[in-house]
Structures are given as structure tokens and as C-alpha cells.
Coordinates of all heavy atoms in Angstrom, one line a residue:
I1 N 17.0 9.0 5.4 CA 18.3 9.4 4.8 C 18.2 9.2 3.3 O 17.9 8.2 2.8 CB 19.4 8.6 5.4 CG1 19.5 8.8 6.9 CG2 20.7 9.0 4.7 CD1 20.5 7.9 7.6
I2 N 18.5 10.3 2.6 CA 18.5 10.3 1.1 C 19.9 10.5 0.6 O 20.5 11.6 0.9 CB 17.6 11.4 0.5 CG1 16.2 11.4 1.2 CG2 17.5 11.2 -1.0 CD1 15.4 10.2 0.9
P3 N 20.5 9.6 -0.1 CA 21.8 9.9 -0.7 C 21.7 11.0 -1.7 O 20.8 11.1 -2.5 CB 22.2 8.6 -1.4 CG 21.3 7.5 -0.9 CD 20.0 8.3 -0.5
R4 N 22.7 12.0 -1.7 CA 22.7 13.1 -2.6 C 22.7 12.5 -4.1 O 22.2 13.2 -5.0 CB 23.9 13.9 -2.4 CG 23.8 14.9 -1.3 CD 25.0 15.7 -1.1 NE 25.0 16.7 0.0 CZ 24.9 18.0 -0.2 NH1 24.9 18.5 -1.4 NH2 24.9 18.8 0.8
A5 N 23.3 11.4 -4.3 CA 23.3 10.8 -5.6 C 21.9 10.6 -6.2 O 21.8 10.5 -7.4 CB 24.1 9.5 -5.5
E6 N 20.9 10.5 -5.3 CA 19.5 10.3 -5.9 C 19.1 11.5 -6.8 O 18.2 11.4 -7.6 CB 18.5 10.3 -4.7 CG 18.6 9.0 -3.9 CD 17.9 7.9 -4.6 OE1 16.8 8.1 -5.2 OE2 18.5 6.8 -4.6
F7 N 19.8 12.6 -6.6 CA 19.4 13.8 -7.4 C 20.0 13.8 -8.8 O 19.8 14.6 -9.6 CB 19.8 15.1 -6.7 CG 18.8 15.5 -5.7 CD1 18.8 15.0 -4.5 CD2 17.8 16.4 -6.0 CE1 17.8 15.3 -3.5 CE2 16.8 16.8 -5.1 CZ 16.9 16.2 -3.9
W8 N 20.8 12.7 -9.1 CA 21.5 12.6 -10.4 C 21.0 11.4 -11.2 O 20.8 10.4 -10.6 CB 23.0 12.6 -10.2 CG 23.5 13.9 -9.7 CD1 23.7 14.2 -8.4 CD2 23.9 15.0 -10.5 NE1 24.2 15.5 -8.3 CE2 24.3 16.0 -9.5 CE3 24.0 15.3 -11.8 CZ2 24.8 17.2 -9.9 CZ3 24.4 16.5 -12.2 CH2 24.8 17.5 -11.3
K9 N 20.8 11.6 -12.4 CA 20.4 10.5 -13.3 C 21.2 10.6 -14.6 O 21.8 11.7 -14.9 CB 18.9 10.5 -13.6 CG 18.4 11.7 -14.4 CD 17.0 11.6 -14.6 CE 16.5 12.9 -15.3 NZ 15.1 12.9 -15.6
T10 N 21.4 9.5 -15.3 CA 22.1 9.5 -16.5 C 21.2 9.4 -17.7 O 20.4 8.5 -17.8 CB 23.1 8.3 -16.5 OG1 23.9 8.3 -15.3 CG2 24.0 8.3 -17.8
V11 N 21.3 10.4 -18.6 CA 20.5 10.4 -19.8 C 21.5 10.5 -21.0 O 22.2 11.5 -21.1 CB 19.6 11.6 -19.8 CG1 18.7 11.7 -21.1 CG2 18.6 11.6 -18.6
K12 N 21.4 9.5 -21.8 CA 22.3 9.4 -23.0 C 23.8 9.7 -22.6 O 24.4 10.6 -23.2 CB 21.9 10.4 -24.1 CG 20.5 10.1 -24.7 CD 20.1 11.1 -25.7 CE 18.7 10.8 -26.2 NZ 18.2 11.8 -27.1
N13 N 24.2 9.0 -21.6 CA 25.6 9.0 -21.1 C 25.9 10.4 -20.5 O 27.1 10.6 -20.3 CB 26.6 8.7 -22.2 CG 26.5 7.2 -22.6 OD1 26.1 6.4 -21.8 ND2 26.7 7.0 -23.9
K14 N 25.0 11.2 -20.2 CA 25.2 12.5 -19.5 C 24.6 12.5 -18.2 O 23.4 12.0 -18.0 CB 24.7 13.7 -20.3 CG 25.5 14.2 -21.4 CD 25.0 15.5 -22.0 CE 25.8 16.0 -23.0 NZ 25.2 17.2 -23.7
K15 N 25.3 13.0 -17.2 CA 24.7 13.1 -15.8 C 23.8 14.4 -15.8 O 24.3 15.5 -16.1 CB 25.8 13.2 -14.8 CG 26.4 11.8 -14.4 CD 27.3 11.9 -13.3 CE 26.6 11.3 -12.0 NZ 27.4 11.4 -10.8
V16 N 22.6 14.2 -15.4 CA 21.6 15.3 -15.3 C 21.1 15.4 -13.9 O 20.8 14.4 -13.3 CB 20.5 15.0 -16.3 CG1 19.4 16.2 -16.2 CG2 21.0 14.9 -17.7
E17 N 21.0 16.6 -13.4 CA 20.6 16.8 -12.0 C 19.0 17.0 -12.0 O 18.5 17.7 -12.8 CB 21.2 18.0 -11.4 CG 20.9 18.0 -9.9 CD 21.8 19.1 -9.2 OE1 22.2 20.1 -9.9 OE2 22.0 19.0 -8.0
R18 N 18.4 16.2 -11.1 CA 16.9 16.4 -11.0 C 16.7 17.5 -10.0 O 17.4 17.7 -9.1 CB 16.3 15.1 -10.3 CG 16.6 13.8 -10.9 CD 16.0 12.8 -9.9 NE 16.7 11.5 -10.1 CZ 16.2 10.5 -10.8 NH1 15.0 10.6 -11.4 NH2 16.8 9.4 -10.9
P19 N 15.6 18.3 -10.2 CA 15.2 19.3 -9.3 C 14.7 18.8 -7.9 O 14.7 19.5 -6.9 CB 14.2 20.2 -10.0 CG 13.6 19.3 -11.0 CD 14.7 18.3 -11.4
F20 N 14.1 17.6 -8.0 CA 13.4 17.1 -6.8 C 13.5 15.6 -6.8 O 13.6 14.9 -7.8 CB 12.0 17.6 -6.7 CG 11.1 17.1 -7.8 CD1 10.4 15.9 -7.6 CD2 10.9 17.8 -8.9 CE1 9.6 15.4 -8.7 CE2 10.1 17.4 -9.9 CZ 9.4 16.2 -9.8
V21 N 13.3 15.0 -5.5 CA 13.1 13.6 -5.3 C 11.9 13.4 -4.4 O 11.7 14.1 -3.5 CB 14.4 13.0 -4.7 CG1 14.2 11.6 -4.2 CG2 15.6 13.1 -5.6
L22 N 11.1 12.4 -4.7 CA 10.0 12.0 -3.9 C 10.3 10.9 -3.0 O 11.0 9.9 -3.4 CB 8.8 11.7 -4.7 CG 8.2 12.8 -5.6 CD1 7.0 12.2 -6.4 CD2 7.8 14.0 -4.8
V23 N 9.9 10.9 -1.7 CA 10.2 9.8 -0.8 C 8.9 9.5 -0.1 O 8.0 10.4 0.1 CB 11.3 10.1 0.2 CG1 12.6 10.3 -0.5 CG2 11.0 11.3 1.1
N24 N 8.8 8.3 0.4 CA 7.6 7.9 1.2 C 8.1 7.6 2.6 O 9.1 6.9 2.8 CB 7.0 6.6 0.6 CG 6.3 6.9 -0.7 OD1 5.4 7.8 -0.8 ND2 6.6 6.2 -1.8
A25 N 7.5 8.2 3.5 CA 7.8 7.9 4.9 C 6.7 7.0 5.5 O 5.5 7.2 5.2 CB 7.9 9.3 5.7
A26 N 7.1 6.1 6.4 CA 6.2 5.1 6.9 C 5.0 5.8 7.6 O 3.9 5.3 7.6 CB 6.9 4.2 7.9
D27 N 5.2 6.9 8.3 CA 4.2 7.5 9.1 C 3.3 8.5 8.4 O 2.4 9.0 8.9 CB 4.8 8.2 10.3 CG 5.4 7.2 11.3 OD1 5.1 6.0 11.2 OD2 6.1 7.7 12.2
E28 N 3.6 8.7 7.1 CA 2.8 9.7 6.3 C 2.1 9.1 5.2 O 2.7 8.2 4.5 CB 3.8 10.8 5.8 CG 4.5 11.6 6.8 CD 3.6 12.6 7.6 OE1 2.4 12.6 7.3 OE2 4.1 13.3 8.4
E29 N 0.9 9.4 5.0 CA 0.1 8.8 3.9 C 0.3 9.5 2.5 O -0.1 9.0 1.5 CB -1.4 8.9 4.2 CG -1.9 10.3 4.5 CD -3.4 10.4 4.9 OE1 -4.2 9.7 4.3 OE2 -3.7 11.2 5.8
F30 N 1.1 10.6 2.5 CA 1.4 11.3 1.3 C 3.0 11.3 1.1 O 3.7 11.3 2.1 CB 0.9 12.8 1.3 CG -0.6 12.9 1.3 CD1 -1.3 12.7 2.5 CD2 -1.3 13.0 0.1 CE1 -2.7 12.8 2.5 CE2 -2.6 13.1 0.1 CZ -3.4 13.0 1.3
P31 N 3.4 11.4 -0.1 CA 4.9 11.5 -0.3 C 5.4 12.8 0.2 O 4.7 13.8 0.4 CB 5.0 11.5 -1.8 CG 3.7 11.2 -2.4 CD 2.7 11.4 -1.4
I32 N 6.7 12.8 0.5 CA 7.5 14.0 0.8 C 8.3 14.4 -0.3 O 9.0 13.5 -0.9 CB 8.3 13.8 2.1 CG1 7.4 13.5 3.3 CG2 9.2 15.0 2.4 CD1 8.1 13.0 4.5
C33 N 8.3 15.6 -0.7 CA 9.1 16.1 -1.8 C 10.4 16.8 -1.3 O 10.2 17.8 -0.6 CB 8.3 17.0 -2.8 SG 9.2 17.5 -4.2
I34 N 11.5 16.3 -1.7 CA 12.8 17.0 -1.4 C 13.1 17.8 -2.6 O 13.4 17.3 -3.6 CB 13.9 16.0 -1.1 CG1 13.4 14.9 -0.2 CG2 15.1 16.7 -0.5 CD1 12.9 15.2 1.1
Y35 N 13.1 19.1 -2.5 CA 13.3 20.0 -3.6 C 14.6 20.7 -3.4 O 14.9 21.3 -2.4 CB 12.2 21.0 -3.7 CG 11.9 21.5 -5.2 CD1 10.9 20.9 -5.9 CD2 12.7 22.4 -5.8 CE1 10.7 21.2 -7.2 CE2 12.5 22.8 -7.1 CZ 11.5 22.2 -7.8 OH 11.3 22.5 -9.1
K36 N 15.4 20.8 -4.5 CA 16.7 21.4 -4.4 C 16.6 22.8 -5.1 O 16.3 22.9 -6.2 CB 17.8 20.6 -5.1 CG 19.2 21.2 -4.9 CD 20.2 20.3 -5.5 CE 21.6 21.0 -5.2 NZ 22.6 20.4 -6.0
N37 N 16.9 23.8 -4.3 CA 17.0 25.2 -4.8 C 18.4 25.7 -4.6 O 18.9 25.9 -3.5 CB 16.1 26.1 -4.1 CG 14.6 25.9 -4.6 OD1 14.4 25.8 -5.7 ND2 13.7 25.8 -3.6
N38 N 19.2 25.8 -5.7 CA 20.6 26.1 -5.6 C 21.3 25.1 -4.7 O 21.2 23.9 -5.1 CB 20.9 27.6 -5.1 CG 20.2 28.6 -6.1 OD1 20.4 28.4 -7.3 ND2 19.6 29.6 -5.5
D39 N 21.8 25.5 -3.6 CA 22.5 24.5 -2.8 C 21.7 24.1 -1.5 O 22.2 23.4 -0.6 CB 23.9 24.9 -2.4 CG 24.9 24.3 -3.3 OD1 24.6 23.4 -4.0 OD2 26.1 24.7 -3.2
S40 N 20.5 24.5 -1.4 CA 19.7 24.2 -0.2 C 18.5 23.3 -0.6 O 18.1 23.3 -1.8 CB 19.2 25.5 0.5 OG 18.2 26.1 -0.3
Y41 N 18.0 22.6 0.4 CA 17.0 21.6 0.1 C 15.8 21.9 1.1 O 16.0 22.4 2.2 CB 17.4 20.2 0.5 CG 18.6 19.7 -0.4 CD1 19.9 20.0 0.0 CD2 18.4 19.0 -1.5 CE1 21.0 19.5 -0.8 CE2 19.4 18.5 -2.3 CZ 20.7 18.8 -1.9 OH 21.7 18.3 -2.6
T42 N 14.6 21.7 0.6 CA 13.4 21.8 1.4 C 12.6 20.5 1.3 O 12.4 20.0 0.2 CB 12.5 23.0 0.9 OG1 13.3 24.2 0.8 CG2 11.4 23.2 1.9
A43 N 12.1 20.0 2.4 CA 11.3 18.8 2.4 C 9.8 19.2 2.7 O 9.6 19.7 3.8 CB 11.8 17.8 3.4
S44 N 8.9 19.0 1.8 CA 7.5 19.3 2.1 C 6.6 18.1 1.9 O 6.8 17.4 0.9 CB 7.0 20.4 1.1 OG 7.9 21.5 1.1
L45 N 5.6 18.0 2.8 CA 4.6 17.0 2.6 C 3.6 17.4 1.5 O 3.1 18.5 1.5 CB 3.8 16.8 3.9 CG 2.8 15.7 4.0 CD1 3.5 14.3 3.9 CD2 2.0 15.8 5.2
L46 N 3.4 16.5 0.6 CA 2.6 16.8 -0.6 C 1.1 16.7 -0.3 O 0.4 16.0 -1.1 CB 3.0 16.0 -1.8 CG 4.4 16.3 -2.4 CD1 4.7 15.5 -3.6 CD2 4.6 17.8 -2.6
K47 N 0.7 17.2 0.8 CA -0.7 17.2 1.2 C -1.3 18.6 1.2 O -0.8 19.4 2.0 CB -0.9 16.5 2.6 CG -2.3 16.5 3.0 CD -2.4 15.8 4.4 CE -3.8 15.7 4.9 NZ -3.9 15.1 6.2
C48 N -2.2 18.9 0.4 CA -2.8 20.2 0.3 C -3.4 20.6 1.7 O -4.1 19.8 2.3 CB -3.8 20.3 -0.8 SG -4.5 22.0 -1.0
T49 N -3.1 21.8 2.1 CA -3.7 22.2 3.4 C -5.1 22.8 3.3 O -5.7 23.1 4.3 CB -2.8 23.4 4.0 OG1 -2.6 24.4 3.0 CG2 -1.4 22.8 4.4
H50 N -5.7 22.7 2.1 CA -7.1 23.1 2.0 C -8.0 22.0 2.4 O -8.6 22.0 3.5 CB -7.4 23.6 0.5 CG -8.8 24.0 0.3 ND1 -9.5 23.5 -0.7 CD2 -9.6 24.8 1.0 CE1 -10.8 24.0 -0.7 NE2 -10.8 24.8 0.4
R51 N -8.0 20.9 1.6 CA -8.9 19.8 2.0 C -8.1 18.5 1.9 O -8.8 17.4 1.9 CB -10.1 19.7 1.1 CG -11.0 21.0 1.2 CD -12.4 20.6 1.8 NE -13.1 21.8 2.0 CZ -14.1 22.3 1.2 NH1 -14.4 21.6 0.1 NH2 -14.7 23.4 1.5
G52 N -6.8 18.5 1.7 CA -6.0 17.3 1.8 C -5.8 16.5 0.6 O -5.4 15.3 0.7
C53 N -5.9 17.1 -0.6 CA -5.6 16.3 -1.8 C -4.1 16.2 -2.0 O -3.4 17.1 -1.4 CB -6.2 17.0 -3.0 SG -8.0 16.9 -3.1
E54 N -3.7 15.2 -2.7 CA -2.2 15.1 -3.0 C -1.8 16.1 -4.1 O -2.5 16.2 -5.1 CB -1.9 13.7 -3.4 CG -0.4 13.5 -3.6 CD 0.0 12.0 -3.8 OE1 -0.7 11.1 -3.3 OE2 1.0 11.7 -4.5
L55 N -0.7 16.8 -3.8 CA -0.3 17.8 -4.7 C 0.5 17.2 -5.9 O 1.2 16.2 -5.8 CB 0.6 18.8 -4.0 CG -0.1 19.5 -2.8 CD1 0.9 20.4 -2.0 CD2 -1.2 20.4 -3.3
N56 N 0.5 18.0 -7.0 CA 1.4 17.6 -8.1 C 2.6 18.5 -8.1 O 2.6 19.6 -7.6 CB 0.7 17.9 -9.5 CG -0.5 17.1 -9.6 OD1 -0.5 15.9 -9.3 ND2 -1.6 17.6 -10.1
V57 N 3.7 18.0 -8.6 CA 5.0 18.7 -8.7 C 5.3 19.0 -10.1 O 5.3 18.1 -11.0 CB 6.2 17.9 -8.1 CG1 7.4 18.7 -8.0 CG2 5.8 17.3 -6.7
G58 N 5.6 20.3 -10.4 CA 5.9 20.6 -11.8 C 6.0 22.1 -12.0 O 5.3 22.8 -11.3
G59 N 6.8 22.5 -12.9 CA 6.9 23.9 -13.2 C 7.5 24.8 -12.1 O 7.2 26.0 -12.0
G60 N 8.2 24.1 -11.2 CA 8.8 24.9 -10.1 C 7.8 25.2 -9.0 O 8.1 26.1 -8.1
I61 N 6.7 24.6 -9.0 CA 5.7 24.8 -7.9 C 5.0 23.4 -7.5 O 5.2 22.5 -8.3 CB 4.6 25.8 -8.3 CG1 3.8 25.3 -9.5 CG2 5.1 27.2 -8.5 CD1 2.5 26.1 -9.7
Y62 N 4.2 23.5 -6.4 CA 3.3 22.4 -6.1 C 1.9 22.9 -6.4 O 1.6 24.0 -6.0 CB 3.4 22.0 -4.7 CG 4.8 21.6 -4.2 CD1 5.3 22.0 -3.0 CD2 5.6 20.7 -5.0 CE1 6.6 21.7 -2.6 CE2 6.9 20.3 -4.5 CZ 7.4 20.8 -3.4 OH 8.6 20.5 -2.9
S63 N 1.1 22.1 -7.1 CA -0.2 22.5 -7.5 C -1.2 21.4 -7.1 O -0.9 20.2 -7.1 CB -0.3 22.8 -9.0 OG 0.0 21.7 -9.7
C64 N -2.4 21.9 -6.7 CA -3.4 21.0 -6.2 C -4.4 20.8 -7.3 O -5.0 21.7 -7.9 CB -4.1 21.6 -5.0 SG -5.4 20.4 -4.3
P65 N -4.7 19.5 -7.7 CA -5.6 19.2 -8.7 C -7.1 19.4 -8.3 O -8.0 19.4 -9.2 CB -5.3 17.7 -9.1 CG -4.8 17.2 -7.8 CD -4.1 18.3 -7.1
C66 N -7.3 19.5 -7.0 CA -8.7 19.6 -6.6 C -9.4 20.9 -6.7 O -10.4 21.0 -7.3 CB -8.8 19.1 -5.1 SG -8.4 17.3 -4.9
H67 N -8.7 22.0 -6.2 CA -9.4 23.3 -6.2 C -8.4 24.4 -6.7 O -8.6 25.6 -6.5 CB -10.0 23.7 -4.9 CG -10.9 22.6 -4.3 ND1 -10.4 21.8 -3.3 CD2 -12.1 22.2 -4.7 CE1 -11.4 20.9 -3.0 NE2 -12.4 21.1 -3.8
G68 N -7.2 24.0 -7.1 CA -6.2 24.9 -7.7 C -5.3 25.6 -6.8 O -4.6 26.5 -7.3
S69 N -5.1 25.3 -5.6 CA -4.1 26.0 -4.8 C -2.7 25.7 -5.3 O -2.5 24.6 -5.9 CB -4.2 25.5 -3.3 OG -5.4 25.9 -2.7
E70 N -1.9 26.7 -5.1 CA -0.5 26.5 -5.5 C 0.5 26.9 -4.3 O 0.2 27.8 -3.5 CB -0.2 27.4 -6.7 CG -0.9 27.0 -7.9 CD -0.7 27.8 -9.2 OE1 -0.1 28.9 -9.0 OE2 -1.1 27.4 -10.2
F71 N 1.6 26.2 -4.3 CA 2.6 26.4 -3.2 C 3.9 26.5 -3.8 O 4.2 25.8 -4.8 CB 2.6 25.2 -2.2 CG 1.2 25.0 -1.6 CD1 0.2 24.2 -2.2 CD2 0.9 25.5 -0.4 CE1 -1.0 23.9 -1.7 CE2 -0.3 25.2 0.2 CZ -1.3 24.5 -0.4
S72 N 4.8 27.3 -3.2 CA 6.2 27.3 -3.7 C 6.9 26.0 -3.2 O 6.4 25.3 -2.4 CB 6.9 28.5 -3.0 OG 7.1 28.3 -1.6
T73 N 8.1 25.8 -3.8 CA 8.8 24.6 -3.4 C 9.4 24.7 -2.0 O 10.0 23.8 -1.5 CB 9.9 24.3 -4.4 OG1 10.7 25.5 -4.6 CG2 9.3 23.9 -5.8
E74 N 9.2 25.9 -1.4 CA 9.6 26.0 0.0 C 8.3 25.7 0.9 O 8.4 25.9 2.1 CB 10.1 27.4 0.4 CG 11.5 27.6 -0.1 CD 11.6 28.0 -1.5 OE1 10.6 28.6 -2.0 OE2 12.6 27.7 -2.2
G75 N 7.2 25.4 0.3 CA 6.0 25.1 1.0 C 5.1 26.2 1.3 O 4.1 26.1 2.1
K76 N 5.4 27.4 0.8 CA 4.6 28.6 1.1 C 3.4 28.7 0.1 O 3.5 28.4 -1.1 CB 5.4 29.9 1.0 CG 6.6 29.9 1.8 CD 6.4 30.1 3.3 CE 7.6 30.2 4.1 NZ 7.4 29.8 5.5
V77 N 2.2 29.1 0.7 CA 1.0 29.3 -0.2 C 1.3 30.4 -1.2 O 1.7 31.5 -0.8 CB -0.2 29.7 0.7 CG1 -1.4 30.0 -0.3 CG2 -0.6 28.7 1.6
L78 N 1.1 30.1 -2.5 CA 1.2 31.1 -3.5 C -0.2 31.6 -4.0 O -0.4 32.7 -4.4 CB 1.9 30.6 -4.7 CG 3.4 30.2 -4.5 CD1 3.9 29.5 -5.8 CD2 4.2 31.4 -4.1
E79 N -1.2 30.6 -3.9 CA -2.5 30.8 -4.5 C -3.5 30.0 -3.7 O -3.2 28.8 -3.4 CB -2.5 30.4 -6.0 CG -3.7 30.7 -6.8 CD -3.7 32.2 -7.1 OE1 -2.7 32.8 -7.5 OE2 -4.8 32.8 -7.0
G80 N -4.6 30.6 -3.3 CA -5.6 29.9 -2.6 C -6.5 29.0 -3.4 O -6.2 28.9 -4.6
P81 N -7.5 28.3 -2.9 CA -8.1 28.6 -1.6 C -7.3 28.2 -0.3 O -7.7 28.6 0.8 CB -9.4 27.8 -1.6 CG -9.2 26.7 -2.6 CD -8.2 27.3 -3.6
A82 N -6.3 27.4 -0.4 CA -5.5 27.1 0.8 C -4.9 28.3 1.4 O -4.5 29.3 0.7 CB -4.3 26.1 0.4
D83 N -5.0 28.4 2.7 CA -4.4 29.6 3.4 C -3.3 29.2 4.4 O -2.9 30.1 5.2 CB -5.5 30.4 4.1 CG -6.3 29.6 5.1 OD1 -6.0 28.5 5.4 OD2 -7.3 30.2 5.6
Q84 N -2.9 28.0 4.4 CA -1.8 27.6 5.3 C -0.7 27.0 4.5 O -1.0 26.2 3.5 CB -2.3 26.6 6.4 CG -3.3 27.2 7.4 CD -3.6 26.2 8.4 OE1 -3.5 25.0 8.3 NE2 -4.2 26.7 9.5
D85 N 0.5 27.2 4.9 CA 1.7 26.6 4.3 C 1.7 25.1 4.5 O 1.1 24.6 5.4 CB 3.0 27.2 4.8 CG 3.1 28.7 4.5 OD1 2.4 29.2 3.6 OD2 3.9 29.4 5.2
L86 N 2.5 24.5 3.6 CA 2.6 23.0 3.7 C 3.4 22.6 5.0 O 4.2 23.4 5.5 CB 3.3 22.4 2.5 CG 2.7 22.7 1.1 CD1 3.5 22.1 0.0 CD2 1.2 22.1 1.1
K87 N 3.2 21.4 5.4 CA 4.1 20.8 6.5 C 5.5 20.6 5.9 O 5.6 20.0 4.8 CB 3.5 19.5 6.9 CG 4.3 18.9 8.0 CD 3.6 17.6 8.5 CE 4.4 16.9 9.6 NZ 3.7 15.6 10.0
T88 N 6.5 21.2 6.5 CA 7.8 21.0 6.1 C 8.6 20.3 7.2 O 8.2 20.3 8.4 CB 8.5 22.3 5.7 OG1 8.5 23.2 6.7 CG2 7.8 22.9 4.5
Y89 N 9.8 19.8 6.8 CA 10.6 19.0 7.8 C 12.0 19.6 7.9 O 12.5 20.1 6.9 CB 10.7 17.6 7.3 CG 9.4 16.9 7.2 CD1 8.7 17.0 6.0 CD2 8.9 16.2 8.2 CE1 7.4 16.4 5.8 CE2 7.6 15.6 8.1 CZ 6.9 15.7 6.9 OH 5.7 15.1 6.8
K90 N 12.6 19.5 9.0 CA 14.0 20.0 9.2 C 14.9 19.1 8.4 O 14.7 17.8 8.3 CB 14.3 19.9 10.7 CG 15.7 20.3 11.0 CD 16.0 20.1 12.5 CE 17.5 20.3 12.7 NZ 17.9 19.8 14.0
I91 N 15.9 19.7 7.8 CA 16.8 18.9 6.9 C 18.3 19.3 7.4 O 18.6 20.4 7.7 CB 16.6 19.3 5.5 CG1 15.4 18.6 4.9 CG2 17.9 19.1 4.6 CD1 15.3 18.7 3.4
E92 N 19.1 18.3 7.4 CA 20.6 18.6 7.5 C 21.2 17.8 6.3 O 20.7 16.8 5.9 CB 21.1 18.1 8.8 CG 20.6 19.0 10.0 CD 21.1 18.5 11.3 OE1 21.9 17.5 11.4 OE2 20.8 19.2 12.3
T93 N 22.4 18.3 6.0 CA 23.1 17.6 4.9 C 24.6 17.4 5.2 O 25.1 18.2 6.1 CB 23.1 18.4 3.6 OG1 23.6 19.7 3.8 CG2 21.6 18.6 3.1
D94 N 25.2 16.4 4.6 CA 26.7 16.4 4.6 C 27.1 16.1 3.2 O 26.3 16.2 2.3 CB 27.2 15.3 5.7 CG 26.7 13.9 5.4 OD1 26.3 13.6 4.2 OD2 26.7 13.1 6.3
N95 N 28.3 15.7 3.0 CA 28.8 15.6 1.6 C 28.1 14.4 0.9 O 28.1 14.4 -0.4 CB 30.3 15.3 1.6 CG 31.0 16.6 1.9 OD1 30.5 17.7 1.8 ND2 32.3 16.5 2.4
E96 N 27.6 13.5 1.6 CA 27.0 12.3 0.9 C 25.5 12.2 1.0 O 24.8 11.7 0.1 CB 27.6 11.0 1.5 CG 29.0 10.8 1.2 CD 29.5 9.4 1.6 OE1 28.7 8.6 2.0 OE2 30.7 9.2 1.6
N97 N 24.9 12.7 2.1 CA 23.5 12.4 2.4 C 22.7 13.6 2.8 O 23.2 14.7 3.2 CB 23.3 11.4 3.5 CG 23.9 10.0 3.2 OD1 23.6 9.5 2.1 ND2 24.7 9.5 4.1
I98 N 21.4 13.5 2.6 CA 20.4 14.5 3.1 C 19.6 13.8 4.2 O 19.1 12.7 4.0 CB 19.5 14.9 2.0 CG1 20.3 15.5 0.8 CG2 18.4 15.9 2.5 CD1 19.5 15.5 -0.5
Y99 N 19.5 14.4 5.4 CA 18.9 13.8 6.5 C 17.6 14.6 6.8 O 17.6 15.8 7.0 CB 19.7 13.9 7.8 CG 21.1 13.2 7.6 CD1 22.2 13.9 7.0 CD2 21.3 11.9 7.8 CE1 23.4 13.3 6.8 CE2 22.5 11.2 7.6 CZ 23.5 12.0 7.1 OH 24.8 11.4 6.9
I100 N 16.4 13.9 6.7 CA 15.1 14.5 6.9 C 14.6 14.1 8.3 O 14.6 12.9 8.6 CB 14.1 14.1 5.9 CG1 14.7 14.3 4.5 CG2 12.8 14.8 6.0 CD1 14.0 13.5 3.4
Y101 N 14.3 15.1 9.1 CA 13.8 14.8 10.5 C 12.3 14.7 10.5 O 11.7 15.8 10.3 CB 14.4 15.8 11.5 CG 15.9 15.6 11.6 CD1 16.7 16.3 10.7 CD2 16.4 14.8 12.6 CE1 18.1 16.2 10.9 CE2 17.8 14.7 12.7 CZ 18.6 15.4 11.9 OH 20.0 15.2 12.0
L102 N 11.7 13.6 10.7 CA 10.3 13.4 10.5 C 9.5 13.8 11.8 O 8.3 13.7 11.9 CB 9.9 12.0 10.1 CG 10.5 11.6 8.7 CD1 10.2 10.2 8.4 CD2 9.9 12.5 7.6
F103 N 10.2 14.1 12.9 CA 9.5 14.4 14.2 C 9.9 15.8 14.6 O 10.7 16.4 14.1 CB 10.0 13.3 15.2 CG 11.4 13.1 15.3 CD1 12.3 13.9 16.0 CD2 12.0 12.1 14.5 CE1 13.6 13.7 16.0 CE2 13.4 11.9 14.5 CZ 14.2 12.7 15.3
Ligands
FES1 FE1 -6.2 21.5 -2.5 FE2 -8.7 22.2 -2.2 S1 -7.8 20.4 -1.6 S2 -7.1 23.4 -3.2

């Protein structure tokens, strides 16, 4: 469970919304990125589907430092050598929280 407030930070007395939040799940060896696009959220495991390197988040995509694969923030392959989308998780939201279903 991630409080929606996690997406907000205060910079110089101004509230600024973050595009994503990283979380660690006990059963996963890689972080999960919760990315906000407009009013919807996507949760993707930051494990490259090519050979399993941890992905970087930046510039509105996930990129792999090992061989250059790129994925959209919805977890879809944009650029190989990876040919499979990222593992994503079901999400539900209410006014206060984001619920990520890990099973
Ligand atoms: Fe990510 Fe090869 S492990 S592109």
C-alpha cells in the first residue's frame, strides 16, 4: 500500500508532484516503479526481460544499462534486444492510497 501523498514533495515551500515512486517488495529482488501518467498508475518490476539487469528510470522511460533495451512506463518494450514486456502488477486506488497486488 502506497499513500498517494508519496507522490508529492516540498521544494522551496512549493508542493511538487513526482512522476514516479520506487518501492521494494519483500518477494522481489528488484524495485517496483509506480509511475503516474495523468490520473492512472502503472507498477512495473525494474528487471530487464533480456538478461535481468536492473533498469534505470528517467526521461519518461525505463532504460537498461547493460545492452540498451528501453521500455515505456507502462512496461512495454520500446527498443531491443529485450523482446518481452516488463512484469507489471494490478493496481487499485482510492482517495488516499494506491494498492499494488503482488500475486
Ligand atoms: Fe537489459 Fe540486456 S539485460 S538489455
